[in-house]
Amino acid sequence: MTQYYIEHQKILVSVDCIIFGFEQNKLKVLLGHRHIDPGKGLWSLYGGFVGNKESVDEAANRTLYELTGMRNVYMRQVGAFGSVDRDPGARVVSVAYYALINVKDYDQKMLAEHDVEWVDIEELPEMFSDHKQMIRKARKLMQQKIRTEPISFQLLPALFTLTQLQRLYEAVNGEEVDKRNFRKRIKEMDFIEKTDLIDKTGSKRGAYLYRFNKHAYNKEDANFKL
Amino acid sequence: MTQYYIEHQKILVSVDCIIFGFEQNKLKVLLGHRHIDPGKGLWSLYGGFVGNKESVDEAANRTLYELTGMRNVYMRQVGAFGSVDRDPGARVVSVAYYALINVKDYDQKMLAEHDVEWVDIEELPEMFSDHKQMIRKARKLMQQKIRTEPISFQLLPALFTLTQLQRLYEAVNGEEVDKRNFRKRIKEMDFIEKTDLIDKTGSKRGAYLYRFNKHAYNKEDANFKL
DNA sequence: CCAAAAGTGTTCCGTCTACACCCATGG
DNA sequence: CCATGGGTGTAGACGGAACACTTTTGG
C-alpha cells in the first residue's frame, strides 16, 4: 500500500439487510434482536461486517444467505449510513440493502434459530440505532420500483391470484386501489399469464392462478406501469 | 471497543463528489485528474477519505468545501461503491454524492489550483475506476428529483429567464421539450415569481427575469411537477 | 430590414378514475 | 340459502401533447 493511502483512517464497514416478505396481506420485514451490547435486546436488522476480500454487495448477499439459506435473491442497495455515533460500540459505516423473498420459501426453522420474526411494516417497534430510517428509506425505494418494474413476483409464489397481487401492491404502497382498474392494467401486460389452474384456498368459488413470464418480459423491455 | 467489533476488518472509506454545473446550455460535471498512482493522470472525480470523527455526510461536505470553498451546498448521496478492486491501490469503499452549484458562484481561480475542469456530461472521457458509473447513477437520481422538487434553482443564478430554466431542464434530461407547455407548467407554480427586470444578454428583445421564492414553496409543500 | 430569441392559447387524444352488479361455491 | 370472495365494463374528467404565429430590437 502506498504512503498516500496508509495515512488515512480505516473504519468498520457493515451491511444491514431489510428483508421484505408478504404474508396475510401485509408487508413485513424480518427483524431480530440485537444479541450484543450496546443495545442488547433491542429490535434490530440482521447485519454483518464487510470483509477485505469481498465486495459490499457480496457481503450483503452472504449475510442474507447466513440468515435465510437463500441465494440469488433480489437485492438492491438502499444507501450508506455514516453518522459518527450510529453504533455506540464502535465507529461503523453501514450500507443498507433491501431484499425481497417469498415467505413460503423461507425455512421456518431458521426463524427460531436466528431469533428473527416477521414484523408488520406498519407497526415497527423501537429499533436499534438508525435501523428504522433504513427501513423507511428502503420502503420508499421499493415503492418507486414496484410501479415501474415487475418486482412483485419476488414476494409471491410462482403461481398467484390477481387478488394476491393486488393486496401486495396495496400493502407496499399503504393504500387501497380499485379492483377493476387494477385488473385492467394487469390484462395489458402480456407477461402476466393466466393459467388454467384454480386456487380454492382463498375463496369458495376459487380464483385463477397467474404466472409471471420472465422471458416474455425481458423481450418487451418496457410498458410496465402500475 | 468490545471484543465483538475488534475481530473484524477495517476498510478505508472515501467520498467522491459529482459536482454538477450548468453552463452554455449544457449540464457539466467538475472533473480532475488523478494525481497519484495507480491511475495517475486519468480523469477522476474529486474525493477524499472519511475520518473517524466525522460522519460520511460531513466528509462529503468537507471535501466539497476543500475544492470549491462553498458551504451549504445542495448535496445528496448517490450510494456506496464497494467492489474489491475498484481502487487498485488499496481496498476502498467509496460513497458517492452529487452536488449542485451555480457555476458563476465558483471562484475560477480554484479551477486551476485544483486542476479541475467543467466537462459536458454528454461527452465524458474515460475515467478512473467506477467513477463513470457513479456519474451515470447520480444523473439518474437527479433526473428523478428535478421532476418533483425545485432543485433547478441550485444550478442557476438567483435571477434567471424562463428559457434558461427550460434549457437546464432539457440538459438534465437529455431531450427537448415544448416551450409553451413548459411555460404553462411554470405559470402554475406560484413560487416561481416574475420580476420586472429584463435580461438583455441572451437576446435582442430581452427576457423577463424570474426568481424562485423558497419561502412560498415551503408553505405549499406540494404541487411541483415538471 | 432581417435574424434571433421572447412570448402566447387552443384543440385533441389518451389515460386515469369513479362506480355496481352478477357469479360460483362451501358450509 | 347465504356469506364470501371472484370476476367484469362504461362514461366522464382530467392532464399531457401537438402545434404556429406575432413581437421586439440590435446590428
Side-chain angles (χ1 to χ4, degrees):
Chain A
M1 196 179 294
T2 70
Q3 184 58 32
Y4 178 73
Y5 289 106
I6 213 159
E7 295 162 14
H8 294 98
Q9 294 166 323
K10 292 185 174 187
I11 295 176
L12 283 166
V13 178
S14 69
V15 292
D16 282 300
C17 298
I18 296 121
I19 302 168
F20 287 116
F22 180 62
E23 202 182 26
Q24 289 157 332
N25 292 341
K26 293 191 187 307
L27 183 65
K28 306 205 168 176
V29 276
L30 200 51
L31 300 185
H33 294 92
R34 199 169 148 84
H35 54 281
I36 54 163
D37 265 318
K40 189 167 178 171
L42 269 178
W43 287 93
S44 159
L45 291 169
Y46 193 83
F49 288 94
V50 178
N52 254 318
K53 302 249 163 91
E54 61 182 354
S55 72
V56 179
D57 287 354
E58 282 160 7
N61 279 288
R62 174 179 55 74
T63 301
L64 183 74
Y65 176 73
E66 286 169 15
L67 176 60
T68 66
M70 294 162 76
R71 297 229 192 250
N72 301 320
V73 173
Y74 182 93
M75 271 188 115
R76 290 293 181 275
Q77 191 188 118
V78 174
F81 290 74
S83 299
V84 174
D85 295 321
R86 53 176 299 284
D87 189 322
R91 176 70 199 278
V92 182
V93 169
S94 188
V95 182
Y97 285 77
Y98 71 89
L100 307 182
I101 69 176
N102 174 8
V103 172
K104 298 213 176 107
D105 287 351
Y106 182 30
D107 187 352
Q108 295 295 320
K109 280 176 290 183
M110 296 188 89
L111 277 176
E113 277 173 29
H114 288 94
D115 182 34
V116 291
E117 296 174 33
W118 289 108
V119 177
D120 187 345
I121 190 134
E122 304 290 358
E123 295 170 6
L124 292 178
E126 281 303 299
M127 295 193 68
F128 174 71
S129 184
D130 48 13
H131 287 193
K132 220 165 172 170
Q133 285 167 249
M134 289 177 174
I135 295 173
R136 277 197 287 258
K137 189 166 176 199
R139 189 184 188 185
K140 252 184 222 157
L141 290 173
M142 190 191 161
Q143 288 175 340
Q144 287 179 17
K145 274 279 186 211
I146 207 171
R147 286 168 197 273
T148 55
E149 285 178 47
I151 62 169
S152 315
F153 314 105
Q154 307 288 338
L155 290 160
L156 292 171
L159 293 171
F160 52 86
T161 69
L162 291 187
T163 300
Q164 283 178 313
L165 184 59
Q166 183 182 341
R167 295 283 175 266
L168 165 58
Y169 184 72
E170 290 171 338
V172 169
N173 288 303
E175 55 184 23
E176 300 188 352
V177 300
D178 181 87
K179 178 164 60 160
R180 281 170 290 188
N181 292 337
F182 183 80
R183 285 170 183 239
K184 215 181 305 168
R185 290 196 289 268
I186 300 295
K187 225 169 259 167
E188 280 157 17
M189 304 184 198
D190 301 333
F191 49 87
I192 302 182
E193 300 171 343
K194 189 177 189 171
T195 68
D196 50 5
L197 302 171
I198 289 184
D199 170 85
K200 306 268 298 185
T201 63
S203 73
K204 300 174 177 174
R205 173 173 171 180
Y208 278 103
L209 287 163
Y210 286 70
R211 172 199 299 136
F212 171 59
N213 185 333
K214 199 174 183 173
H215 221 258
Y217 175 72
N218 285 336
K219 282 176 200 159
E220 314 199 24
D221 219 66
N223 72 310
F224 188 93
K225 200 61 164 284
L226 263 182
Chain B
M1 195 180 296
T2 69
Q3 184 58 32
Y4 178 73
Y5 289 106
I6 213 159
E7 296 162 14
H8 295 97
Q9 295 166 322
K10 292 184 173 187
I11 296 176
L12 284 166
V13 178
S14 68
V15 293
D16 282 299
C17 299
I18 296 122
I19 302 168
F20 287 116
F22 180 63
E23 202 182 26
Q24 289 158 331
N25 291 342
K26 294 191 188 306
L27 183 65
K28 306 206 169 175
V29 277
L30 200 50
L31 300 185
H33 294 91
R34 200 170 148 83
H35 53 284
I36 54 161
D37 266 319
K40 188 166 179 173
L42 268 178
W43 286 94
S44 159
L45 292 169
Y46 193 83
F49 288 94
V50 177
N52 253 318
K53 302 250 164 88
E54 61 181 355
S55 71
V56 179
D57 287 354
E58 282 160 7
N61 279 288
R62 173 179 55 74
T63 301
L64 183 75
Y65 177 74
E66 287 168 15
L67 177 58
T68 66
M70 295 162 77
R71 297 233 192 248
N72 301 319
V73 173
Y74 182 93
M75 270 187 116
R76 290 295 181 274
Q77 192 188 117
V78 174
F81 291 74
S83 300
V84 175
D85 294 322
R86 55 176 297 286
D87 188 322
R91 177 69 200 276
V92 183
V93 168
S94 189
V95 183
Y97 285 78
Y98 71 89
L100 308 182
I101 69 175
N102 175 8
V103 172
K104 298 211 176 108
D105 287 351
Y106 182 31
D107 186 352
Q108 296 295 319
K109 281 176 288 182
M110 296 188 89
L111 278 176
E113 275 172 29
H114 288 95
D115 183 32
V116 291
E117 295 174 33
W118 289 109
V119 177
D120 186 344
I121 190 133
E122 303 291 358
E123 295 171 6
L124 292 179
E126 280 303 298
M127 294 192 69
F128 175 70
S129 185
D130 47 13
H131 287 193
K132 220 164 174 172
Q133 285 167 248
M134 290 178 175
I135 294 174
R136 276 196 288 258
K137 190 168 175 197
R139 188 184 188 183
K140 253 185 221 156
L141 289 173
M142 189 191 163
Q143 288 175 339
Q144 287 178 17
K145 275 278 186 214
I146 208 172
R147 285 166 199 272
T148 55
E149 285 178 45
I151 61 169
S152 315
F153 315 106
Q154 306 289 339
L155 290 160
L156 291 171
L159 294 171
F160 51 86
T161 67
L162 292 187
T163 301
Q164 282 178 313
L165 184 59
Q166 183 182 340
R167 295 282 174 268
L168 165 57
Y169 183 73
E170 290 171 338
V172 169
N173 288 302
E175 56 184 22
E176 300 188 353
V177 300
D178 181 86
K179 179 165 57 160
R180 281 171 290 187
N181 292 336
F182 183 81
R183 286 169 182 239
K184 216 182 306 169
R185 290 196 290 267
I186 299 296
K187 225 168 260 167
E188 281 157 18
M189 303 183 199
D190 301 333
F191 48 86
I192 302 181
E193 300 171 343
K194 188 175 188 170
T195 68
D196 51 5
L197 303 171
I198 291 184
D199 170 86
K200 306 269 297 186
T201 63
S203 72
K204 299 172 178 174
R205 175 174 171 179
Y208 278 103
L209 286 163
Y210 286 70
R211 171 200 301 134
F212 171 58
N213 186 332
K214 200 174 182 172
H215 221 259
Y217 174 72
N218 286 336
K219 284 176 199 157
E220 314 198 24
D221 219 68
N223 72 310
F224 189 94
K225 199 60 163 285
L226 265 184

